[in-house]
Amino acid sequence: MKVALKIWRYDGATGEKALREYEIEAPEEATLLDCLDIIKDRHDGTLAYRKSCRMMICGSCGMRMDGAAVLACKTRMAEIAASGHVPVISAMGNLPVLKDLVVDMTPFWQKIRAVKPWLDTGYVEPPEKEFVVPQAEMDVIHKESLCIMCGCCVSECNSMEADPDFLGPAALAKGFRFVGDPRDRATVERLQAYSDEHGIWDCTRCYFCNERCPKGVDPRDAIAKLGAEAMREGIDSDMGARHAKWFVTSAKTTGWLRETELVPKTQGVVRSLKEIGFAMSLLRRGKVPPPFPPHVAKDVDEARQLYELVEREGHEGARGIVQLEKPLARLERHEAGYEEAAARGPYGPGSFPKPYLPGENESTEEGAA
Amino acid sequence: MRKVAYYKGCLASLSAKELDVATRALAPKVGLELEELESVTCCGAGDIHEAEPDYYLHLNARILAYAEATGTDTLMTVCNVCTLNLRQANHALKGDEALLARVNDNLVSVGAPAYSGSVDVLHFLWLVAAGEGYELLKRAAHRGLQGLKIAPFYGCQILRPSKLLGFDDPDRPESLERIIEACGGEAIDYPAKVKCCGFPIIQAREDVALAELVQPIEQAKEAGADAMVTPCPLCHLSLDAWQSKLRKQTGKDFQMPVLHLSQLIGVAAGLSESELKFKRHVVSVEPVVEKLAV
């Protein structure tokens, strides 16, 4: 097939930029990475990009196609080529470009290092017996363990664009991989460190990281799990945590968000007093609803009692964060007729292999090493 | 008429009342009969999901249960954040029988209805951007926008994560553009229309949030937009009310009017000022109204 690409070429030494178009002949099954290899081998040896495994394991070939971060080795070109569209390939965002599609990953690695990405077992000499972790507990950090540190999430992070010091989705997801590990003994220290100014509460919930991650890590969900764990440990003095807590207080008292009190509850009375002028400008337009009489939801007693019940049941912390891949996969399998297929047996006509879903075999694998 | 359970959420109940008023006035013109849910609470806006995840699930299950009890199959939202929170809980409950059973036991024990999983959560935008709603909208928008240049601003949580939302392509959405054009306006294209407005952290990290907020407003201005339109009252609040703070930070006074989606369609459909309530906006919508009056 004929594949046409436009590539942003960049020379870090001179700062020169140019958008070059290439048209190549490539096999039907070619990925974006295959196409770049063909360009480099046969058309233009000066093109710079990173690659290694060619099979979505090493995380080297993160780059942007039409502005969206992708792994070049995971991106097939046949449909795009057939549509006649000429995609624009460029380096990832939020990282300095060195040459063409190669970014300087130093800031990325600095942040990974900052979250102490190793298991802190709390002992020097290993104990007599190995530490056996139940499968159910590893399932909590299953997704975060899949990260290949390609940087696609970081490339698109809206908060990091606004605050380059933000630890960001990759480092925080890595952090949760250890916070959620029952063998780690530094949970509280980690949560305190991750709750600093450029940590958990810097996340603006734009969900670009979940959208872009080529491995299904869902870093935004990992950040929510860190928030949930931090609050469970009582590490909740950051304005972001206080903001979140006020929603709970609102729901279990009036049912609806008590909007006007949200500012002093988040920022503290002293700081919010500085906002009086701004608040007045909003007040004039009816944007500051009076807190009295409160806007109370009908049958709010149900919401209050639910809170008591939930507290007693104790499903708090990271385990409570909705893990969607399981229900979504079940729903998809249902829609795809999986259950009927499964009933016919594994090798019958119309059957297809059963994907492994974390937590499915909890009862049988509990306690297995 | 398509009957839908209407969940207006916190903002449209109070600080963004104009959204509720315009949506109610517009609904019959686009074939929607709204049955407002009364015995419902805040969806948690992502904050309760983070602070008390299990409470979040229960609150949202309760909203879904009350929606189901109206006998409709559609829960209509007018806020991106409500949409994501409710859809996320809905999928979690539908896909996990044990979870649904536990939550239902608790709902019933406090006197709320149980949820069987028959409701679909749909944003108002999706109901009027396709199918019969779109056909009715084209007819209703008879007064038109007379070529007004409108910058669509989607907000995050109606696009991403797309596996949960999925109506638009998360990178090349077109539902707002379709509506703007059906209303006789010209849709402005600009890169930040799918990016974040900064609202979730505007109180805890104002500087970071404002650095995000400035992008769409600045780009829309440069592209010559007369106004912006958004399907989310949280985006609306930051784009409209926090715009004055950008003046201090950037030295630029954008004066960019920002319309709720229902207001934009409402203008084209000839709703009155008492139904649009532009006076509740911080940035004046007067220039837009004047252009249309000519």
Side-chain angles (χ1 to χ4, degrees):
Chain A
M1 63 180 174
K2 279 232 180 319
V3 180
L5 297 174
K6 285 181 188 163
I7 302 177
W8 270 111
R9 304 294 306 267
Y10 176 76
D11 185 337
T14 62
E16 270 176 57
K17 271 174 81 174
L19 188 62
R20 296 256 170 81
E21 187 161 349
Y22 299 88
E23 203 174 293
I24 57 163
E25 192 59 45
E28 279 300 308
E29 70 276 11
T31 62
L32 173 57
L33 183 59
D34 295 330
C35 293
L36 296 177
D37 281 345
I38 293 170
I39 292 171
K40 193 169 175 71
D41 284 351
R42 300 177 201 165
H43 299 266
D44 185 348
T46 67
L47 179 65
Y49 54 96
R50 280 203 184 92
K51 67 162 184 174
S52 180
C53 77
R54 301 180 300 156
M55 50 194 283
M56 298 169 266
I57 296 295
C58 75
S60 299
C61 64
M63 58 185 69
R64 276 177 163 169
M65 181 157 89
D66 289 331
V70 295
L71 280 185
C73 67
K74 194 187 171 187
T75 308
R76 300 247 180 221
M77 296 305 292
E79 271 185 36
I80 299 165
S83 75
H85 174 63
V86 183
V88 175
I89 313 301
S90 56
M92 287 197 292
N94 280 336
L95 292 161
V97 185
L98 294 172
K99 185 175 188 313
D100 300 339
L101 307 176
V102 179
V103 291
D104 180 1
M105 294 288 278
T106 308
F108 179 93
W109 296 120
Q110 276 169 347
K111 288 169 184 173
I112 296 283
R113 244 175 255 126
V115 302
K116 300 195 174 159
W118 57 81
L119 203 60
D120 189 340
T121 55
Y123 54 75
V124 182
E125 289 298 316
E128 274 176 33
K129 210 167 157 281
E130 71 269 41
F131 191 112
V132 180
V133 183
Q135 183 63 48
E137 292 197 25
M138 290 313 279
D139 285 346
V140 176
I141 53 169
H142 172 74
K143 281 162 65 175
E144 291 76 12
S145 310
L146 301 175
C147 176
I148 56 171
M149 298 194 268
C150 60
C152 286
C153 58
V154 162
S155 165
E156 322 285 277
C157 175
N158 279 200
S159 275
M160 201 184 288
E161 204 181 339
D163 171 18
D165 292 331
F166 176 37
L167 276 173
L172 287 170
K174 183 58 71 189
F176 181 73
R177 186 253 166 273
F178 293 101
V179 163
D181 192 317
R183 297 167 296 178
D184 195 82
R185 288 286 164 268
T187 308
V188 171
E189 293 88 324
R190 286 182 190 280
L191 289 170
Q192 277 164 344
Y194 306 165
S195 296
D196 274 353
E197 191 189 346
H198 305 291
I200 302 170
W201 305 106
D202 235 20
C203 170
T204 191
R205 300 181 195 158
C206 69
Y207 283 90
F208 264 109
C209 53
N210 282 22
E211 195 64 39
R212 295 290 188 250
C213 175
K215 301 296 281 188
V217 172
D218 288 340
R220 163 60 212 158
D221 298 1
I223 298 172
K225 290 179 205 170
L226 284 174
E229 286 297 305
M231 277 188 271
R232 189 162 71 121
E233 295 285 353
I235 304 162
D236 54 9
S237 60
D238 189 279
M239 287 196 284
R242 296 210 300 260
H243 187 270
K245 275 167 57 183
W246 186 246
F247 276 79
V248 178
T249 306
S250 296
K252 68 176 185 186
T253 51
T254 64
W256 293 111
L257 174 63
R258 291 156 62 180
E259 278 184 65
T260 302
E261 295 149 275
L262 181 61
V263 182
K265 290 295 175 187
T266 300
Q267 301 182 343
V269 176
V270 176
R271 194 183 158 125
S272 56
L273 279 175
K274 290 186 195 152
E275 299 287 332
I276 283 285
F278 179 62
M280 292 304 287
S281 73
L282 268 55
L283 186 69
R284 281 195 291 276
R285 300 292 175 178
K287 297 277 172 201
V288 185
F292 301 104
H295 175 224
V296 181
K298 197 180 157 205
D299 299 322
V300 69
D301 260 347
E302 293 175 12
R304 291 173 184 157
Q305 288 174 40
L306 277 176
Y307 183 76
E308 307 291 325
L309 266 176
V310 164
E311 284 301 285
R312 273 206 297 278
E313 288 189 351
H315 295 267
E316 76 277 85
R319 281 152 187 272
I321 296 292
V322 173
Q323 296 273 348
L324 276 167
E325 64 284 354
K326 206 155 72 172
L328 282 171
R330 288 225 173 96
L331 291 171
E332 274 163 24
R333 285 157 64 200
H334 182 69
E335 277 162 23
Y338 172 76
E339 271 134 33
E340 293 78 355
R344 284 195 296 271
Y347 305 112
S351 298
F352 43 91
K354 184 182 174 187
Y356 167 69
L357 296 173
E360 247 186 359
N361 305 319
E362 256 162 43
S363 53
T364 53
E365 290 184 17
E366 190 85 24
Chain B
M1 283 286 178
R2 174 175 181 177
K3 191 173 138 186
V4 297
Y6 171 42
Y7 175 73
K8 62 182 173 181
C10 297
L11 258 71
S13 303
L14 292 168
S15 60
K17 245 180 216 160
E18 68 278 6
L19 169 60
D20 178 48
V21 173
T23 306
R24 280 170 195 285
L26 185 63
K29 295 179 193 290
V30 291
L32 296 172
E33 184 190 337
L34 308 184
E35 178 155 347
E36 189 184 334
L37 296 177
E38 287 180 344
S39 301
V40 287
T41 61
C42 173
C43 71
D47 281 76
I48 299 183
H49 185 212
E50 197 153 347
E52 297 274 355
D54 203 35
Y55 190 39
Y56 149 79
L57 262 182
H58 281 76
L59 289 177
N60 283 266
R62 188 172 165 271
I63 299 166
L64 292 161
Y66 274 107
E68 194 173 59
T70 65
T72 65
D73 61 1
T74 303
L75 172 55
M76 185 185 99
T77 52
V78 287
C79 167
N80 290 7
V81 174
C82 299
T83 307
L84 176 59
N85 275 271
L86 281 159
R87 283 181 74 85
Q88 178 172 265
N90 199 22
H91 276 83
L93 294 163
K94 278 186 184 183
D96 188 337
E97 281 164 28
L99 178 69
L100 183 63
R102 178 172 72 83
V103 171
N104 271 338
D105 280 350
N106 288 338
L107 287 182
V108 172
S109 77
V110 302
Y115 179 53
S116 80
S118 69
V119 168
D120 203 3
V121 180
L122 299 174
H123 191 288
F124 170 70
L125 167 65
W126 302 345
L127 289 168
V128 292
E132 205 193 334
Y134 184 64
E135 294 308 314
L136 289 168
L137 176 141
K138 281 197 279 192
R139 245 179 282 158
H142 60 91
R143 190 162 170 263
L145 294 172
Q146 301 165 27
L148 217 59
K149 289 183 174 173
I150 307 290
F153 183 77
Y154 282 88
C156 299
Q157 298 182 17
I158 202 162
L159 298 174
R160 295 176 299 272
S162 61
K163 66 180 176 188
L164 258 181
L165 299 159
F167 183 86
D168 272 304
D169 179 314
D171 295 310
R172 309 274 180 278
E174 48 180 33
S175 55
L176 282 175
E177 283 82 347
R178 278 161 58 82
I179 289 172
I180 292 166
E181 273 149 30
C183 290
E186 185 192 328
I188 296 288
D189 194 23
Y190 62 109
K193 70 180 179 184
V194 295
K195 289 177 77 176
C196 184
C197 72
F199 193 77
I201 52 170
I202 214 157
Q203 291 187 7
R205 298 285 189 277
E206 191 176 83
D207 287 348
V208 183
L210 290 181
E212 294 178 35
L213 176 63
V214 69
Q215 297 181 33
I217 298 179
E218 189 163 43
Q219 290 177 14
K221 191 84 187 175
E222 278 169 12
D226 293 305
M228 297 175 80
V229 64
T230 177
C232 178
L234 303 174
C235 298
H236 186 273
L237 197 55
S238 55
L239 292 166
D240 179 47
W242 262 261
Q243 217 180 103
S244 62
K245 290 214 171 183
L246 292 178
R247 193 167 50 222
K248 282 187 205 134
Q249 210 191 38
T250 66
K252 290 179 193 163
D253 189 7
F254 295 108
Q255 286 299 323
M256 173 63 70
V258 187
L259 273 61
H260 295 285
L261 176 62
S262 306
Q263 289 176 323
L264 181 91
I265 305 168
V267 170
L271 294 188
S272 65
E273 165 57 30
S274 69
E275 293 166 314
L276 297 166
K277 297 217 174 293
F278 285 143
K279 293 210 168 66
R280 290 181 54 88
H281 290 216
V282 175
V283 177
S284 172
V285 186
E286 210 45 44
V288 175
V289 177
E290 276 170 20
K291 267 200 176 181
L292 286 175
V294 176

